[in-house]
């Protein structure tokens, strides 16, 4: 029941719009006094609003003609709106327009200022109209989702337990359960959008579901907050996690068969304010190129990599941040060297893609199987090629280096900004510089950039001094034609970009560079020496692709550092 301030009562009684008897009778009903007075015809709604608005100096609003701004609705929770009979409808920077029913409730306005973190501008409406609008706004999201759910049936996706490959007929049941259908819808939509990750995040009143497409997060739907517990529980069931545990992060995995392809999902849940956040990494093996020469590398970079992986022994490293395509490069390298007479063993956390003819070992720290422990065991399995998912500690680095020096080809990853820094990182981890120079064949630094849509890209003119400042050569300035994305996009793309490709910087250890490593040279000196010997840096490779119109200059500058 909405409480009415004493000032409204005095105003209505003093102006003789309502008699004391009618007021008392309305109070005795136990319902909202003003709503009862209007329903009984004691006072007309328009007359009441006009009188209150005139007295308080607050404009009235007709809610049936107003469409609340979603960014405003998110500011206050559904519980707050119901409790105080208010509804935010417009947000302009730090100013929030909120519909209220009692213009004289100063304490309520102070509370709204604090709860919203905005400067509240009140407008006036009748309590029944506000309640109806609240129901429409917050339940409207549910109806919208339910309409979308009707588009998908549970038979469209077959869920598989990745740990039980022989049990391939786990069917989804319960068409009547919204969470089951919503999960199906999210997974199908993410696959159609060619997403790499799915983020499910709790808000105050809504769930924000975002997809990472071409490296950028985009919001795709905002179901009502009430679906969050069942949605997270459904995902936990698929990934064989504990649905009763909500205060501890959990990690799991599951597989689905969609349109004839088997797709892996890695699920991670995290307790946050407002509930649990879930992130799913999508691993679609059918979309992954498994040959180095099909990844679009510069000819010199491709030649360096192919030369390194064709060696009988040594170490090849790929560096870059999370999500830069390191795993794709390593898997493609393994696929190139794998032959019937070669024993290839991998140790990964987790095994992202399954490869025929390759022995893949998943790391399991909870059971004592670490990278270092697994690597020791692998070396007793008579391997020719060893792939180590990541060098995380000194112990793993030492074992990997020794394996590379004793007749094994070792492939692995490190997290460094460029290729030369990987060498000094190994030395900083305690590896003897001579061991590093003797074992490391090639280090490849990698970044992913978005591909310009060839159908809607447009030309752009950039001043020559700006091009020189970012790494262009004088010889490249004459007749240079750069392209930029069309922000409006076209039917074939999103915002002017379509897909991504890799930039690769290969640090191939020549005799000169090996001597410098032994002498303890800095990563900067190593990089400059490699450039003088013909190494193409990430920035340089990016510029070459910008000159071809394959990507934009702004995209190159976003993901690469200045060589100086």
């Amino acid at each position: 029941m909405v409480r009415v301030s004493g000032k409204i009562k005095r105003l209505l009684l003093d102006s003789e719009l309502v008699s004391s008897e009618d007021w008392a009778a309305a109070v005795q009903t136990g319902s909202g006094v003003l709503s009862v007075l209007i329903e009984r015809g004691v006072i007309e709604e328009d007359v009441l609003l006009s009188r209150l608005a005139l007295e308080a100096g607050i404009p009235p609003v007709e809610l049936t003609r107003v469409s609340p701004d979603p960014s405003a609705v998110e500011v206050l929770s559904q519980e707050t709106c119901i409790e105080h009979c208010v509804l935010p409808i417009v947000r302009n920077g730090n100013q929030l327009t909120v519909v209220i029913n009692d213009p004289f409730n100063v304490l309520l306005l102070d509370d709204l200022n604090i709860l919203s973190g905005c400067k509240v501008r009140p407008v006036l409406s009748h309590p029944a109209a506000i309640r109806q609008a609240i129901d429409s706004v917050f339940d409207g999201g549910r109806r919208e989702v339910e309409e979308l759910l009707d588009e998908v049936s549970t038979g469209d996706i077959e869920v598989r337990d990745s740990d039980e490959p022989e049990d391939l007929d786990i069917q989804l049941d319960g068409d009547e359960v919204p969470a089951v259908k919503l999960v199906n819808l999210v997974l199908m939509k993410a696959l159609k959008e060619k997403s790499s990750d799915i983020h499910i995040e709790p808000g105050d009143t809504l769930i924000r579901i975002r997809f990472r497409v071409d490296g950028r997060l985009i919001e795709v739907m905002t179901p009502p907050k009430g679906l969050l517990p069942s949605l997270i529980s459904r995902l936990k069931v698929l990934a064989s996690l504990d649905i009763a545990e909500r205060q501890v992060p959990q990690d799991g995995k599951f597989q689905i068969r969609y349109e004839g392809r088997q797709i892996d999902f890695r699920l991670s849940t995290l307790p946050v304010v407002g509930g649990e956040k879930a992130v799913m990494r999508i691993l679609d093996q059918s979309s992954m190129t498994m040959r180095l020469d099909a990844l679009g590398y510069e000819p010199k970079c491709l030649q360096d990599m192919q030369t390194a992986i064709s060696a009988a022994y040594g170490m090849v490293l790929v560096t870059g941040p999370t999500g830069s395509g390191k795993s794709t490069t390593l898997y493609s390298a393994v696929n190139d060297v794998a032959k019937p007479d070669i024993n290839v063993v991998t140790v990964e956390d987790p095994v992202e893609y399954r490869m025929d003819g390759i022995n893949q070992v998943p790391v399991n720290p909870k059971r004592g199987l670490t990278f270092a422990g697994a690597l020791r065991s692998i070396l007793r399995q008579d391997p020719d090629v060893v792939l180590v998912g990541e060098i995380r500690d000194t112990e793993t680095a030492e074992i990997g280096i020794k394996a590379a020096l004793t007749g094994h080809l070792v492939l692995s990853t490190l997290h460094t900004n460029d290729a030369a820094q990987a060498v000094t990182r190994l030395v900083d981890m305690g590896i003897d510089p001579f061991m590093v120079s003797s074992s490391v064949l090639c280090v490849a630094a990698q970044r992913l950039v978005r591909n310009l849509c060839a159908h809607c890209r447009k030309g752009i003119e950039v001043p020559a001094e700006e091009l020189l400042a970012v790494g262009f050569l004088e010889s490249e300035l004459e007749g240079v034609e750069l392209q930029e994305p069309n922000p409006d996009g076209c039917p074939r793309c999103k915002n002017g970009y379509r897909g991504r490709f890799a930039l690769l910087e290969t640090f191939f250890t020549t005799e000169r560079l090996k001597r410098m490593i032994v002498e303890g040279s800095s990563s900067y000196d190593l990089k400059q020496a490699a450039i003088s010997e013909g190494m193409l840096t990430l920035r340089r490779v990016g510029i070459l692709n910008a000159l071809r119109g394959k990507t934009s200059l702004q995209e190159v500058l976003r993901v690469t550092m200045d060589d100086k």
Side-chain angles (χ1 to χ4, degrees):
M1 182 181 70
V2 179
R3 294 183 178 180
V4 178
S5 63
K7 190 166 183 178
I8 292 181
K9 176 182 178 181
R10 290 193 299 272
L11 174 64
L12 296 180
L13 294 179
D14 292 344
S15 60
E16 298 182 351
L17 292 174
V18 175
S19 68
S20 56
E21 292 79 10
D22 288 333
W23 184 272
V27 170
Q28 290 176 357
T29 64
S31 301
V33 177
L34 299 181
S35 297
V36 172
L37 292 173
I38 293 173
E39 290 171 1
R40 292 181 174 180
V42 176
I43 186 172
E44 294 182 2
E45 182 176 344
D46 292 341
V47 174
L48 174 62
L49 286 180
S50 299
R51 191 73 180 90
L52 295 178
L54 181 63
E55 185 70 18
I58 295 177
V61 62
E62 177 56 60
L63 282 175
T64 57
R65 300 180 180 179
V66 174
S67 178
D69 183 355
S71 65
V73 173
E74 291 181 355
V75 174
L76 296 177
S77 68
Q78 182 178 5
E79 293 75 15
T80 298
C81 293
I82 293 173
E83 179 182 355
H84 300 291
C85 194
V86 298
L87 180 66
I89 56 174
V90 177
R91 184 176 185 180
N92 186 8
N94 195 43
Q95 187 176 73
L96 184 69
T97 301
V98 180
V99 184
I100 62 175
N101 71 92
D102 188 346
F104 307 114
N105 192 339
V106 179
L107 294 178
L108 172 60
L109 294 178
D110 289 340
D111 289 342
L112 294 178
N113 279 310
I114 295 172
L115 290 171
S116 66
C118 300
K119 183 178 180 181
V120 172
R121 171 181 173 267
V123 293
L124 194 63
S125 188
H126 177 61
I130 297 176
R131 284 194 296 268
Q132 184 176 356
I134 290 174
D135 292 339
S136 176
V137 167
F138 290 101
D139 289 340
R142 180 181 295 274
R143 285 195 297 271
E144 179 182 352
V145 172
E146 289 175 350
E147 291 174 2
L148 290 172
L149 294 178
D150 289 338
E151 299 176 6
V152 58
S153 67
T154 56
D156 292 330
I157 292 181
E158 179 186 347
V159 178
R160 298 185 171 196
D161 184 344
S162 58
D163 290 326
E164 301 289 344
E166 70 279 0
D167 183 10
L168 302 181
D169 298 318
I170 302 176
Q171 297 293 329
L172 298 181
D173 55 7
D175 278 2
E176 74 285 357
V177 181
V180 174
K181 299 178 72 176
L182 180 57
V183 167
N184 282 2
L185 175 66
V186 170
L187 298 184
M188 290 177 64
K189 191 173 180 65
L191 293 173
K192 289 178 180 178
E193 296 286 343
K194 300 187 183 302
S195 309
S196 61
D197 301 86
I198 303 171
H199 290 241
I200 301 175
E201 304 162 326
D204 288 337
T205 60
L206 302 170
I207 306 170
R208 183 165 66 161
I209 299 179
R210 298 189 291 173
F211 296 163
R212 189 175 293 280
V213 181
D214 294 339
R216 296 298 183 94
L217 283 172
I218 58 172
E219 186 173 295
V220 291
M221 64 178 76
T222 53
K225 178 72 172 290
L227 284 175
L228 181 64
S230 56
L231 176 59
I232 297 297
S233 294
R234 175 59 184 168
L235 292 173
K236 287 181 177 180
V237 167
L238 294 181
S240 301
L241 301 181
D242 184 358
I243 63 173
E245 181 58 74
R246 299 182 179 179
Q247 303 302 319
V248 176
Q250 297 187 66
D251 296 295
K253 57 186 177 180
F254 61 93
Q255 293 179 343
I256 68 170
R257 178 166 293 280
Y258 176 68
E259 293 184 347
R261 350 193 272 274
Q262 183 170 296
I263 300 163
D264 293 324
F265 286 81
R266 298 286 182 264
L267 171 66
S268 172
T269 65
L270 181 69
V272 297
V273 175
E276 285 184 281
K277 175 181 177 179
V279 175
M280 286 176 281
R281 169 66 61 89
I282 303 174
L283 304 172
D284 185 358
Q285 188 163 352
S286 66
S287 65
M288 186 178 72
T289 302
M290 297 294 284
R291 291 187 57 84
L292 281 177
D293 57 8
L295 296 177
Y297 297 144
E298 293 297 314
K300 182 185 183 305
C301 300
L302 175 61
Q303 181 182 352
D304 286 345
M305 282 293 290
Q306 289 178 330
T307 301
I309 65 174
S310 63
Y313 60 89
M315 177 175 280
V316 179
L317 296 172
V318 182
T319 76
T322 302
S324 60
K326 300 188 299 296
S327 295
T328 299
T329 297
L330 284 180
Y331 279 118
S332 299
V334 167
N335 192 62
D336 279 6
V337 300
K339 296 179 177 61
D341 58 344
I342 297 291
N343 180 23
V344 181
V345 186
T346 76
V347 51
E348 307 169 61
D349 182 21
V351 174
E352 294 190 3
Y353 297 99
R354 295 183 180 179
M355 303 177 66
D356 292 334
I358 307 297
N359 305 287
Q360 296 174 272
V361 180
V363 168
N364 192 339
K366 293 181 180 179
R367 297 185 178 179
L369 185 60
T370 62
F371 272 114
L375 188 51
R376 284 197 192 92
S377 299
I378 285 174
L379 295 178
R380 293 192 287 270
Q381 292 282 314
D382 186 31
D384 298 295
V385 179
V386 178
L387 186 155
V388 183
E390 182 182 351
I391 295 178
R392 297 178 177 175
D393 52 44
T394 301
E395 187 179 12
T396 305
E398 288 177 343
I399 299 171
I401 291 286
K402 290 177 182 178
L405 292 173
T406 54
H408 306 88
L409 180 64
V410 180
L411 310 176
S412 190
T413 68
L414 270 177
H415 286 279
T416 59
N417 290 326
D418 59 30
Q421 286 184 13
V423 173
T424 55
R425 174 67 58 81
L426 291 172
V427 175
D428 292 341
M429 294 174 72
I431 308 300
D432 185 274
F434 176 77
M435 300 277 282
V436 174
S437 67
S438 301
S439 60
V440 176
L441 301 172
C442 180
V443 182
Q446 184 164 308
R447 298 293 186 278
L448 293 179
V449 293
R450 289 181 292 174
N451 202 15
L452 281 171
C453 176
H455 300 279
C456 66
R457 65 187 181 183
K458 53 185 181 180
I460 181 176
E461 293 184 5
V462 181
E465 57 272 16
E466 291 186 17
L467 296 179
L468 291 173
V470 299
F472 280 74
L473 304 178
E474 289 276 2
S475 59
E476 295 170 339
L477 299 183
E478 185 177 354
V480 61
E481 293 183 4
L482 298 180
Q483 303 288 323
E484 69 175 357
N486 177 6
D488 297 326
C490 69
R492 299 178 179 86
C493 70
K494 288 184 178 293
N495 303 321
Y497 290 104
R498 185 180 183 184
R500 291 187 293 175
F501 66 96
L503 306 180
L504 200 69
E505 167 187 298
T506 49
F507 179 92
F508 198 85
T509 52
T510 62
E511 290 302 321
R512 176 190 174 191
L513 294 175
K514 289 181 179 181
R515 287 195 300 270
M516 292 180 66
I517 294 171
V518 173
E519 293 168 358
S521 299
S522 68
S523 61
Y524 176 80
D525 291 336
L526 288 171
K527 182 174 183 177
Q528 297 306 312
I531 291 174
S532 69
E533 293 193 350
M535 182 182 81
L536 297 176
T537 65
L538 287 168
R539 173 61 61 87
R540 187 73 197 135
V541 173
I543 288 174
L544 292 175
N545 281 282
L547 286 169
R548 300 185 186 111
K550 192 173 182 181
T551 191
S552 65
L553 179 58
Q554 65 194 59
E555 188 73 0
V556 172
L557 299 180
R558 181 179 69 86
V559 302
T560 65
M561 296 187 302
D562 194 323
D563 294 332
K564 301 176 184 178

